[in-house]
């Protein structure tokens, strides 16, 4: 009995710790129901989904939320979203509800929806940007008319068992609870207008629940060592020894089954789905490579490359998060967008993402080669802390689309030649080479 309780407590502790991200401690999805008017048999509400994750976004096919009504509620109408099933509405002979399901599932509308069906901040196919990248598109809302609650007086109860797919699994939502009513501003901020009531729930994310294995890994290299530190073997699962499919392997789908050619994923089965990927020793669909390219007197140059080994999946609006002490020294990024985050750590954290119409989409691998995007980064050296010792030149952590990537062990990082503790800048090597060439020339003339 005690052993069983211990097992459950340990499992719950694992889930709680996995939901907490020290680089984004306040990240979550917040669901808000604002009741702003009453009807003859129910109420009108605005439902808002807020993405408060700094670097986790919602890609196509978009978010999907669901719940279970506590009473016999029906959805008379909606704008800005729709219920996927109407359910059994046979009890209604004239006015037919939008949905009579006890457990409705709600999806966002497409951008080309008619204006009659739209609402404010809706209709982006369920796509939500990360808060640090585009806060104006990090939330979505829709209107809902709820009825069949009987005659007045009535109030209704908050729905139960709130669920969120964004768009894959991994999200756990707490209960909708009553909080202080939402207040908005009118007349240029001179009038405060309050809704009748507000229910709010918090949804957290767990990579442990979302995927059986990690989904990305990190490899390292440097100008001062010819050896490349590859991703750890079996970082994202092990390759089947019997696989002979011309370099094609199967692995669990990340983060959801790949979009069909028609873009219709409404019937996607998340559990058990697999993606075809290029066979590698690490078996990760995504690899992030950090190369220390050049060392100057006051700066050093990095090349950051993200490679997509999927055969059937592109990544739109991708992002990479890097924790590295040198990023606090005014980094210059040439081919990506970037911003510094403030997680309260000594080592700086920078977020990188693609430039619109240039490299915002990380394309899939095909017969012509692997899909990749890259940039060079110029880091200013801190004369008080700069050193190549103890892996200082390499990142502490790397995330892809909010997923923690598997790092090589520190003792496998590219080592300095002959065990030296610091490397002369490129200019110093140049002068040494110049002196050597001059001496050789003089020797030849002497002979």
């Amino acid at each position: 009995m005690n052993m069983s309780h211990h097992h459950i407590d340990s499992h719950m502790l694992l889930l709680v710790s996995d939901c907490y991200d020290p680089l984004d401690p306040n990240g979550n999805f917040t669901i808000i129901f604002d009741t702003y008017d009453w009807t003859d048999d129910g109420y009108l509400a605005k439902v808002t989904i807020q993405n408060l994750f700094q670097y986790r976004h919602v890609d196509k096919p978009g978010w999907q939320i669901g719940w279970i009504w506590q009473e016999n509620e029906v959805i008379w109408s909606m704008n800005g979203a729709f219920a996927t099933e109407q359910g059994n509405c046979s009890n209604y002979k004239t006015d037919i509800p939008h949905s009579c399901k006890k457990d409705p599932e709600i999806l966002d509308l497409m951008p080309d929806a008619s204006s009659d069906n739209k609402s404010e901040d809706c209709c982006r196919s369920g796509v939500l940007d990360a808060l640090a990248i585009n806060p104006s598109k990090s939330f979505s809302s829709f209107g809902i008319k709820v009825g069949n609650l009987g005659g007045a007086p009535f109030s209704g109860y908050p729905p139960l068992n709130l669920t969120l797919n964004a768009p894959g699994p991994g999200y756990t939502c707490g209960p909708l609870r009553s909080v202080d009513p939402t207040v908005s501003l009118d007349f240029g901020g001179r009038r405060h207008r309050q809704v009748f009531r507000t229910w709010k729930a918090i949804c957290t994310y767990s990579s442990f629940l979302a995927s059986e294995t990690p989904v990305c890994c990190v490899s390292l290299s440097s100008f001062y060592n010819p050896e490349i530190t590859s991703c750890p073997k079996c970082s994202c699962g092990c390759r089947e020894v019997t696989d002979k499919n011309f370099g094609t392997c199967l692995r669990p789908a990340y983060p959801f089954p790949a979009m069909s050619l028609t873009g219709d994923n409404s019937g996607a089965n998340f559990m058990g789905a697999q993606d075809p990927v290029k066979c590698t020793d690490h078996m990760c669909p995504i690899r992030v490579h950090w190369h220390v390219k050049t060392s100057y007197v006051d700066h050093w140059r990095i090349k950051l490359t993200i490679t997509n080994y999927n055969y059937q999946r592109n990544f739109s609006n991708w992002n990479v998060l890097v924790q590295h002490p040198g990023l606090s020294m005014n980094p210059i990024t040439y081919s990506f967008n970037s911003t510094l985050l403030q997680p309260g750590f000594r080592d700086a954290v920078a977020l990188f993402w693609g430039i619109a119409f240039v490299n915002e989409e990380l394309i899939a691998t095909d017969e012509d080669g692997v899909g990749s995007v890259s940039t060079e980064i110029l880091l200013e050296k801190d004369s008080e802390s700069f050193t190549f010792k103890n892996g200082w030149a390499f990142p502490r952590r790397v995330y892809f689309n909010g997923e923690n990537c598997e790092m090589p062990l520190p003792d496998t990082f590219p080592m300095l030649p002959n065990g030296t503790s610091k490397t002369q800048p490129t200019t110093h090597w140049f002068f040494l080479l110049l002196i050597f060439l001059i001496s050789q020339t003089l020797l030849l003339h002497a002979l």
Side-chain angles (χ1 to χ4, degrees):
M1 187 77 172
N2 290 335
M3 289 183 64
S4 175
H5 280 296
H6 175 73
H7 172 74
I8 293 173
D9 292 344
S10 300
H11 181 67
M12 290 302 296
L13 182 61
L14 175 64
L15 290 178
V16 171
S17 62
D18 184 56
C19 290
Y20 176 76
D21 182 357
L23 300 186
D24 190 11
N26 299 316
N28 68 72
F29 279 99
T30 298
I31 314 295
I32 300 173
F33 278 67
D34 285 323
T35 298
Y36 63 88
D37 203 356
W38 306 108
T39 63
D40 293 339
D41 67 340
Y43 56 88
L44 297 173
K46 178 182 178 180
V47 181
T48 304
I49 305 169
Q50 296 178 329
N51 179 12
L52 301 182
F53 285 102
Q54 293 289 322
Y55 41 83
R56 181 179 297 282
H57 70 284
V58 179
D59 205 350
K60 292 181 179 180
W63 54 260
Q64 175 178 316
I65 65 170
W67 58 76
I68 297 177
W69 294 118
Q70 286 205 51
E71 300 184 75
N72 296 314
E73 294 97 330
V74 298
I75 301 175
W76 280 114
S77 62
M78 298 185 69
N79 53 16
F82 66 97
T84 58
E85 295 185 49
Q86 186 179 35
N88 182 6
C89 295
S90 58
N91 290 333
Y92 298 87
K93 305 304 180 185
T94 53
D95 293 334
I96 309 300
H98 176 78
S99 176
C100 300
K101 288 279 290 184
K102 183 75 172 178
D103 53 346
E105 297 284 345
I106 310 299
L107 296 178
D108 193 13
L109 291 175
M110 304 292 283
D112 59 358
S114 67
S115 57
D116 292 341
N117 293 330
K118 286 187 175 182
S119 65
E120 186 180 9
D121 303 317
C122 82
C123 313
R124 293 194 292 269
S125 305
V127 173
L128 298 178
D129 289 346
L131 185 62
I133 293 177
N134 191 353
S136 67
K137 292 186 178 180
S138 65
F139 60 92
S140 181
S141 64
F142 58 87
I144 185 170
K145 182 179 180 181
V146 180
N148 198 36
L149 286 173
F154 54 80
S155 58
Y157 296 98
L160 301 174
N161 293 18
L162 193 66
T163 59
L164 172 69
N165 286 324
Y171 296 89
T172 302
C173 298
L176 283 162
R177 301 184 185 279
S178 293
V179 297
D180 292 338
T182 300
V183 176
S184 58
L185 300 178
D186 281 341
F187 301 105
R190 292 180 295 168
R191 168 180 162 82
H192 289 223
R193 184 164 52 87
Q194 179 175 298
V195 300
F196 294 145
R197 68 180 175 200
T198 298
W199 299 323
K200 179 190 282 189
I202 304 297
C203 302
T204 58
Y205 176 78
S206 165
S207 57
F208 177 80
L209 294 176
S211 178
E212 300 174 6
T213 60
V215 297
C216 57
C217 65
V218 178
S219 57
L220 308 168
S221 61
S222 66
F223 69 90
Y224 55 77
N225 192 320
E227 295 186 7
I228 296 175
T229 299
S230 302
C231 288
K233 191 174 182 178
C234 296
S235 291
C236 303
C238 289
R239 173 177 176 173
E240 293 292 335
V241 177
T242 57
D243 179 82
K244 299 185 185 299
N245 286 331
F246 304 102
T248 301
C249 291
L250 293 176
R251 59 155 281 119
Y254 158 72
F256 49 86
M259 291 285 288
S260 68
L261 296 177
T262 62
D264 179 16
N265 254 35
S266 58
N269 178 17
F270 296 125
M271 306 307 295
Q274 292 186 310
D275 283 342
V277 299
K278 182 179 177 65
C279 293
T280 58
D281 287 337
H282 54 75
M283 282 301 294
C284 294
I286 297 294
R287 185 193 69 176
V288 180
H289 186 73
W290 181 275
H291 175 62
V292 183
K293 188 174 182 179
T294 315
S295 177
Y296 304 108
V297 174
D298 298 319
H299 294 79
W300 51 317
R301 187 179 292 270
I302 302 297
K303 185 173 183 181
L304 177 65
T305 304
I306 303 103
T307 302
N308 179 12
Y309 289 108
N310 285 280
Y311 280 117
Q312 296 181 359
R313 182 191 300 278
N314 297 340
F315 288 91
S316 302
N317 303 315
W318 59 267
N319 67 69
V320 166
L321 185 85
V322 178
Q323 183 182 20
H324 187 288
L327 290 170
S328 61
M329 299 299 294
N330 303 315
I332 299 173
T333 306
Y334 290 97
S335 304
F336 293 165
N337 291 307
S338 65
T339 187
L340 290 178
L341 303 182
Q342 304 293 330
F345 286 90
R346 178 180 176 183
D347 294 340
V349 176
L351 183 63
F352 303 93
W353 67 97
I355 297 172
F357 308 111
V358 178
N359 54 13
E360 63 182 344
E361 186 166 28
L362 178 56
I363 64 172
T365 287
D366 57 26
E367 61 274 7
D368 297 326
V370 295
S372 66
V373 292
S374 64
T375 186
E376 292 195 354
I377 306 168
L378 198 63
L379 299 181
E380 182 181 337
K381 291 180 181 176
D382 182 352
S383 58
E384 296 183 359
S385 64
F386 176 77
T387 174
F388 280 100
K389 293 173 65 177
N390 302 322
W392 192 92
F394 301 105
R396 302 292 188 254
R397 297 190 214 194
V398 175
Y399 288 34
F400 176 81
N401 281 356
E403 300 292 344
N404 194 1
C405 299
E406 291 291 300
M407 291 284 297
L409 293 175
D411 59 0
T412 65
F413 285 12
M415 301 295 290
L416 292 165
N418 301 323
T420 55
S421 61
K422 62 180 181 180
T423 298
Q424 297 293 331
T426 299
T427 51
H428 290 192
W429 285 110
F430 173 77
F431 285 121
L432 288 173
L433 178 61
L434 183 62
I435 292 171
F436 172 76
L437 292 174
I438 293 171
S439 65
Q440 293 296 308
T441 303
L442 293 174
L443 180 61
L444 289 172
H445 282 297
L447 294 175

